């Protein structure tokens, strides 16, 4: 134990008196190097004040003045010493209707976005250095040109930016609104999520708030909020349904379909089908050849085509991809996928008539994208869909209604189709109809149709009344009418109770 105490004392740099002299010498040298103070009694006080950015020239009232705080990368701000910052919360409110592009990209006038950002301050005043907001279109490729490259996977396009706070300011307790507005052009794509790529609109607001970390430093606290915006497109519906006629040689079967070329994913879409030429007479054998409908299957397919662009680092080794119109789009790789978003099989539900010379079948059914095909239990979630889209960078989404009819050939005696027998011959009749999948327009209209009339479009009021000879008398000149003075009528006297009793 004594040797441990000796080793401990030996490890020090010197004796107690030597350490005291060294500390005194360093204190005097630092006070003389600071250049402030004239006596040894005030040297330590001036040294401690020079190390604090919040130090005041008055020792009796250290909170009376404001000192400038230097923050790296930001301008100099004046903050009162010892003031406690309040709490800040970001909030927003959209005042415009849902963002819907009405019409095709060539005809749409866009959609208006307007709202307010709020800075809710509680518990005291805060200093805000900046407050900005941006609206960005983010395109994420799920099968990018290079799977390990983040630049090839995501492309951000800034559509609009706002500087909500022009200069640094002090905000006191309360709610402080900051309005914003923008016009989204009609040629922009709608929000979508597909197995090939996704397009999303993001509204991001950032506020830089000054935070007092202590009496010796101040820092900036970044508050941000990311809010997704859903943008839809609604195509106008045609006045009349589309008529498609298909003949299936070598048979005489003819199919006539009536359907709407614009369909909606959340509603029932109707297709009317009529089959003719199902009966073929055979005069020599005195028999009838019948084509009897056995099964009908409809399938709604979605085809997604896109070009996965190459970033600046991989553009040298990438090839230029051509669009279907033969125009060079960009350097990258072509991506496409076809998926089924609706399917149903029917084995009945139609009317057959084989009594005449030309057998007919009439049927009508509803189809929708909310009727997904059968899937395994591992992926039993509802199938997603994307509305029809076509952009300038080569992205295109189309939909096709596929109709398959299974017919069986039967033979019956002439004039007795109910006695038909199977012949063992069957055919598969397949038809494809191009349809456009779009969102419901609802009760909304385009923003340019909601604008009030301008001053030049308002007609003069009251309207003029022309005088036609022989049909209408000239208007009365009100200046020649005699003035009528109104006289107040004297109310009748009320009878007393005695007079009423008489």
């Amino acid at each position: 134990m004594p040797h441990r105490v000796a080793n401990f004392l030996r490890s020090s740099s010197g004796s107690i008196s030597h350490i005291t002299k060294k500390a005194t010498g360093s204190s005097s040298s630092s006070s003389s190097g600071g250049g402030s103070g004239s006596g040894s009694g005030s040297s330590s006080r001036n040294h401690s004040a020079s190390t604090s950015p919040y130090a005041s020239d008055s020792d009796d009232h250290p909170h009376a003045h404001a000192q400038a705080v230097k923050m790296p990368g930001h301008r100099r701000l004046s903050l009162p010493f010892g003031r406690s910052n309040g709490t800040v919360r970001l909030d927003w409110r959209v005042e415009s209707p849902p963002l819907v592009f009405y019409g095709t990209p060539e005809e749409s006038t866009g959609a208006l976005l307007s709202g307010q950002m709020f800075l809710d301050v509680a518990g005291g005043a805060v200093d805000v250095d900046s407050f900005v907001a941006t609206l960005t279109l983010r395109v994420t490729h799920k099968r990018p040109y290079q799977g390990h490259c983040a630049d090839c996977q995501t492309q951000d396009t800034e559509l609009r930016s706002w500087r909500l706070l022009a200069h640094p300011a002090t905000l006191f307790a309360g709610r402080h609104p900051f309005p914003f507005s923008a016009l989204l052009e009609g040629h922009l794509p709608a929000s979508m999520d597909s197995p090939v790529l996704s397009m999303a609109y993001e509204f991001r607001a950032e506020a830089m708030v000054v935070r007092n970390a202590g009496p010796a430093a101040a820092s900036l606290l970044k508050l941000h909020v990311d809010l997704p915006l859903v943008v839809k497109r609604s195509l106008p519906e045609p006045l009349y349904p589309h008529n498609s006629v298909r003949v299936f040689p070598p048979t005489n079967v003819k199919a006539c379909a009536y359907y709407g070329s614009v369909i909606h994913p959340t509603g029932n879409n109707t297709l009317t089908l009529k089959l003719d030429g199902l009966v073929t007479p055979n005069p020599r054998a005195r028999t009838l050849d019948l084509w009897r409908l056995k099964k009908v299957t409809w399938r709604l397919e979605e085809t997604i085509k896109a070009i996965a662009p190459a970033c600046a680092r991989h553009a040298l080794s990438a090839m230029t991809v051509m669009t279907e119109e033969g125009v060079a789009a960009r350097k990258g790789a072509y991506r496409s996928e076809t998926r089924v978003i609706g399917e149903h099989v029917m084995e009945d539900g139609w009317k057959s008539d084989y009594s005449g010379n030309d057998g007919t079948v009439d049927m009508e059914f509803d189809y929708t994208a909310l009727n997904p095909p059968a899937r395994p239990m591992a992926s039993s979630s509802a199938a997603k869909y994307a509305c029809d889209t076509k952009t300038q960078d080569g992205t295109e989404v189309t939909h096709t209604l596929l109709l398959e009819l299974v017919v069986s050939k039967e033979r019956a005696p002439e004039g007795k189709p109910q006695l038909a027998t199977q012949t063992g011959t069957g055919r598969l009749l397949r038809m494809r109809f191009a349809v456009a999948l779009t969102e419901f327009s609802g009760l909304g209209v385009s923003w340019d149709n909601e604008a009030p009339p301008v001053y030049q479009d308002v007609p003069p009021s009251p309207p003029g009344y022309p005088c036609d000879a022989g049909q209408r008398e000239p208007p009365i000149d009100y200046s020649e009418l005699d003035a009528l003075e109104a006289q107040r009528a004297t109310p009748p006297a009320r009878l007393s109770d005695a007079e009423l009793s008489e």
Side-chain angles (χ1 to χ4, degrees):
M1 189 66 182
H3 66 277
R4 293 185 180 180
V5 176
N7 293 338
F8 174 75
L9 296 176
R10 193 180 300 113
S11 62
S12 61
S13 59
S15 61
I16 299 299
S17 60
H18 177 71
I19 296 175
T20 305
K21 294 180 181 179
K22 186 175 181 180
T24 306
S26 61
S27 176
S28 61
S29 62
S30 61
S31 61
S32 61
S36 62
S38 57
S40 60
S42 61
S43 61
S44 61
R45 182 184 62 187
N46 294 336
H47 173 69
S48 62
S50 63
T51 59
S52 175
Y54 295 96
S56 175
D57 295 337
S58 175
D59 296 331
D60 298 334
H61 303 281
H63 308 290
H65 300 279
Q67 295 294 329
V69 181
K70 182 65 176 179
M71 289 165 289
H74 298 82
R75 65 182 66 186
R76 187 179 297 270
L77 299 177
S78 296
L79 297 177
F81 174 75
R83 187 182 69 185
S84 61
N85 290 346
T87 59
V88 184
R89 186 174 64 91
L90 285 177
D91 193 9
W92 83 324
R93 182 178 62 193
V94 177
E95 300 174 348
S96 57
L99 301 176
V100 180
F101 297 147
Y102 295 96
T104 60
E106 295 79 12
E107 301 175 354
S108 177
T109 57
L112 280 177
L113 170 65
S114 62
Q116 295 188 64
M117 290 296 304
F118 298 98
L119 280 177
D120 296 334
V121 181
V126 296
D127 292 289
V128 181
D129 183 67
S130 63
F131 190 21
V132 296
T134 57
L135 179 61
T136 306
L137 172 60
R138 173 165 295 181
V139 180
T140 304
H141 292 267
K142 300 181 180 180
R143 289 188 292 172
Y145 181 78
Q146 290 290 340
H148 61 276
C149 182
D151 296 336
C152 293
Q153 183 179 6
T154 305
Q155 292 84 36
D156 293 341
T157 304
E158 183 176 315
L159 303 178
R160 183 68 187 274
S161 62
W162 297 270
R163 189 178 179 183
L164 302 178
L165 194 61
H167 52 80
T170 301
L171 302 181
F172 296 93
R175 166 164 280 203
H176 303 271
F178 297 89
F180 63 90
S181 62
L183 174 61
L184 301 181
E185 299 181 1
H187 65 83
L188 295 174
S191 303
M192 61 174 294
D193 186 10
S194 65
V196 179
L197 80 165
S198 63
M199 296 182 181
Y201 291 84
E202 295 183 359
F203 181 87
R204 181 181 180 88
E206 292 184 358
M208 304 298 294
V209 181
V210 179
R211 179 180 59 180
N212 289 346
S219 60
L220 290 179
L221 176 64
K222 182 173 71 172
L223 303 177
H224 68 90
V225 57
D226 296 329
L227 304 168
L229 295 176
V230 179
V231 180
K232 300 180 181 181
R233 181 177 296 278
S234 178
L235 300 178
E237 298 184 13
L239 297 178
Y240 304 100
H242 189 76
N243 183 18
S244 178
V245 179
R246 175 72 186 274
V247 180
F248 301 93
T251 65
N252 296 328
V253 178
K254 182 180 67 173
C256 183
Y258 296 89
Y259 63 96
S261 58
V262 177
I263 63 176
H264 304 285
T266 58
N268 293 329
N269 309 282
T270 304
L271 184 141
T272 303
L273 181 65
K274 183 177 182 179
L275 300 179
D276 296 331
L278 299 178
V279 176
T280 303
N282 190 355
R284 294 184 178 181
R286 294 184 178 182
T287 58
L288 298 175
D289 293 338
L290 310 178
W291 291 101
R292 195 174 298 275
L293 184 61
K294 295 295 184 180
K295 185 173 66 173
V296 178
T297 303
W298 65 264
R299 186 181 300 112
L300 190 59
E301 296 181 350
E302 180 179 274
T303 303
I304 307 162
K305 301 177 183 179
I307 298 176
C311 64
R313 293 184 300 171
H314 302 97
L316 298 177
S317 60
M319 299 179 59
T320 303
V321 182
M322 307 294 292
T323 60
E324 295 182 355
E325 292 79 7
V327 181
R330 57 171 68 179
K331 287 189 175 182
Y334 183 78
R335 300 285 188 262
S336 65
E337 182 172 337
T338 301
R339 61 174 179 172
V340 178
I341 61 176
E343 185 180 24
H344 187 60
V345 179
M346 297 174 292
E347 296 181 353
D348 54 7
W350 53 82
K351 297 180 180 180
S352 303
D353 184 12
Y354 297 96
S355 59
N357 296 330
D358 191 7
T360 60
V361 170
D362 297 318
M363 68 175 305
E364 182 176 313
F365 60 90
D366 296 335
Y367 62 97
T368 177
L370 298 181
N371 190 8
R375 297 177 180 270
M377 295 300 296
S379 59
S380 59
S381 59
K384 297 181 180 179
Y385 60 88
C387 294
D388 277 47
T389 304
K390 188 174 183 180
T391 61
Q392 300 176 357
D393 58 358
T395 302
E396 184 178 5
V397 180
T398 57
H399 295 83
T400 304
L401 177 62
L402 178 62
L403 193 62
E404 294 180 351
L405 310 177
V406 177
V407 293
S408 176
K409 188 176 182 180
E410 299 179 0
R411 184 163 297 169
E414 186 176 2
K416 298 179 180 179
Q418 66 276 9
L419 301 179
T421 58
Q422 297 286 342
T423 60
T425 303
R427 287 186 179 274
L428 178 62
L429 311 181
R430 183 174 298 172
M431 294 174 286
R432 303 177 70 92
F433 309 105
V435 293
L437 185 66
T438 182
E439 297 287 349
F440 274 108
S441 60
L443 300 178
V445 295
S446 181
W447 67 271
D448 53 341
N449 295 330
E450 294 181 351
V454 296
Y455 181 78
Q456 291 80 2
D457 297 339
V458 178
S461 180
Y465 297 94
C467 179
D468 298 336
Q471 297 182 0
R472 185 178 301 173
E473 297 180 358
I476 301 175
D477 190 2
Y478 294 97
S479 60
E480 298 179 358
L481 294 179
D482 298 335
L484 298 178
E485 297 181 359
Q487 296 180 357
R488 184 180 299 274
T490 304
R494 184 177 180 181
L495 299 178
S496 61
D497 297 339
E499 294 176 351
L500 291 176
S501 61
E502 294 178 357

